[in-house]
């Protein structure tokens, strides 16, 4: 339909075949929808919850207690120069952010079928907004970690300024995975059962309850094929005064893998989103 030139009201013109060229402009045009969906997810997450925000505090504390007992006391795994609870907590920050955001973003499209099937908007907004809500949990856990570090008299030094860079890596990784799994979930509903298994397995293959330094040197680079290993090492390095050293070849490999996952996931999502309304 050709717009009326006499009409001075703002309008959105949808043209076939112009989606890729106008993609970034469309995202900016729908920024208010993005903020609304993010705020909606926050309200849904905490409204009428018995524990509410307290759950964001209890969950990492309970996990740290279990890991400290099993790996710290019973297995007696080494903790390089820092209290073992701090070693675990610094790793729980990126891990819990990744795990929670991955599950929610993977199911986000299926949870918004009423929107996708009725109106037009950039579908990418849905998985990204579901990831953003977990930043609130991250900030709550970070404040708790700083309080625990003050208790142990081990507050971070200037290296903490690099923490946003490692958080950005975790954000790009989970968004890339979210793009892949949310798009695959629309076509293949079995993926809703695969993602929880991946999250459960990832907790044990990532250096959350132990330092990655316990991995033998000849296996370190192979172990770094898990991009979370480099991200967790970066979090520990920036929060624990450098006591947990960074394995630099592994970090560079993590950077490469994060970029690969993010851009490939974005490309696959953009290629398949035109069919979401038809098959969802």
């Amino acid at each position: 339909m050709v717009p009326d030139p006499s009409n001075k009201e703002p309008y959105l013109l949808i043209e076939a075949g112009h989606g890729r060229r106008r993609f970034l402009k469309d995202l900016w045009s729908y920024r208010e929808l993005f903020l609304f969906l993010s705020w909606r997810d926050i309200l849904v997450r905490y409204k009428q919850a018995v524990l509410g925000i307290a759950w964001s505090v209890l969950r990492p504390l309970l996990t740290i207690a279990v890991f400290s007992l099993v790996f710290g006391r019973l297995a007696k795994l080494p903790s390089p120069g820092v209290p073992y609870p701090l070693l675990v907590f610094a790793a729980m920050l990126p891990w819990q952010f990744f795990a929670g955001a991955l599950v929610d973003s993977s199911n986000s499209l299926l949870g918004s079928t009423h929107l996708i099937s009725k109106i037009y908007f950039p579908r990418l907004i849905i998985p990204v907004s579901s990831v953003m809500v977990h930043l609130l949990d991250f900030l709550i856990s970070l404040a708790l970690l700083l309080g625990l570090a003050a208790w142990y008299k081990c507050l971070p030094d200037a290296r903490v300024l690099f923490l946003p860079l490692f958080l950005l890596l975790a954000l790009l990784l989970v968004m890339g995975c979210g793009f892949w799994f949310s798009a695959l979930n629309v076509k293949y509903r079995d993926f809703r059962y695969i993602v929880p298994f991946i999250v459960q397995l990832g907790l044990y293959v990532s250096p959350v309850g132990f330092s990655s330094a316990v991995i033998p040197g000849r296996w370190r680079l192979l172990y770094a094929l898990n991009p979370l290993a480099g991200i967790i090492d970066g979090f520990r390095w920036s929060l624990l005064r450098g006591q947990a050293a960074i394995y630099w070849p592994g970090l560079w490999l993590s950077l490469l893998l994060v970029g690969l996952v993010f851009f490939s996931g974005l490309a696959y999502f953009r290629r398949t989103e035109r069919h979401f309304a038809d098959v969802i």
Side-chain angles (χ1 to χ4, degrees):
M1 181 178 67
V2 179
D4 183 3
S6 63
N7 186 5
K8 303 300 182 182
E9 294 295 325
Y11 61 87
L12 176 65
L13 179 63
I14 302 175
E15 299 177 85
H18 288 218
R20 293 184 182 275
R21 182 161 57 88
R22 298 175 55 108
F23 178 60
L24 293 178
K25 184 178 180 180
D26 283 351
L27 285 180
W28 177 251
S29 299
Y30 285 87
R31 62 189 181 277
E32 293 182 357
L33 176 61
F34 168 75
L35 294 175
F36 172 79
L37 292 177
S38 299
W39 181 244
R40 180 204 64 176
D41 290 341
I42 292 175
L43 292 179
V44 170
R45 185 175 180 84
Y46 293 109
K47 187 178 181 181
Q48 295 180 337
V50 176
L51 295 178
I53 295 180
W55 179 244
S56 300
V57 176
L58 291 174
R59 184 174 57 177
L61 288 179
L62 292 175
T63 305
I64 290 168
V66 172
F67 274 66
S68 297
L69 176 63
V70 175
F71 293 106
R73 293 292 182 86
L74 299 180
K76 298 186 183 300
L77 293 179
S79 175
V82 294
Y84 189 82
L86 285 181
L87 183 78
V88 175
F89 207 158
M92 289 301 302
L93 285 178
W95 168 253
Q96 286 194 341
F97 171 72
F98 174 84
L102 178 60
V103 172
D104 286 352
S105 62
S106 300
N107 297 318
S108 59
L109 293 179
L110 296 181
S112 301
T113 56
H114 57 292
L115 291 176
I116 295 174
S117 59
K118 293 181 179 180
I119 60 175
Y120 167 79
F121 61 94
R123 312 308 192 194
L124 200 69
I125 289 176
I126 296 179
V128 175
S129 64
S130 65
V131 169
M132 293 297 105
V133 67
H134 289 272
L135 287 175
L136 177 59
D137 286 346
F138 175 85
L139 294 176
I140 294 172
S141 297
L142 178 60
L144 184 60
L145 181 142
L146 294 177
L148 188 63
W151 172 266
Y152 282 107
K153 298 180 180 180
C154 189
L155 284 171
D157 57 12
R159 296 178 181 87
V160 75
L161 297 176
F162 291 92
L163 184 64
L165 297 178
F166 296 111
L167 175 59
L168 177 61
L169 283 180
L171 183 62
L172 292 177
L173 177 62
V174 75
M175 284 198 300
C177 293
F179 296 156
W180 271 109
F181 287 118
S182 61
L184 289 170
N185 240 340
V186 172
K187 189 174 182 180
Y188 308 104
R189 302 302 171 88
D190 292 343
F191 275 90
R192 72 174 70 183
Y193 308 111
I194 296 175
V195 172
F197 172 75
I198 293 175
V199 170
Q200 184 179 15
L201 181 64
L203 179 61
Y204 297 104
V205 300
S206 300
V208 177
F210 55 91
S211 171
S212 59
V214 304
I215 306 297
R218 66 181 181 276
W219 299 109
R220 287 292 296 274
L221 193 61
L222 181 63
Y223 185 69
L225 289 175
N226 174 8
L228 277 173
I231 294 173
I232 289 174
D233 284 347
F235 266 76
R236 282 174 169 160
W237 176 82
S238 59
L239 289 170
L240 303 179
R241 299 183 177 185
Q243 295 295 328
I246 294 180
Y247 178 60
W248 289 104
L251 180 60
W252 292 118
L253 182 57
S254 293
L255 285 170
L256 178 63
L257 292 173
V258 167
L260 178 63
V261 170
F262 177 79
F263 288 109
S264 64
L266 178 60
Y268 180 76
F269 191 98
R270 293 284 294 125
R271 189 171 67 251
T272 58
E273 66 175 338
R274 69 185 65 182
H275 304 296
F276 288 167
D278 299 326
V279 299
I280 202 167

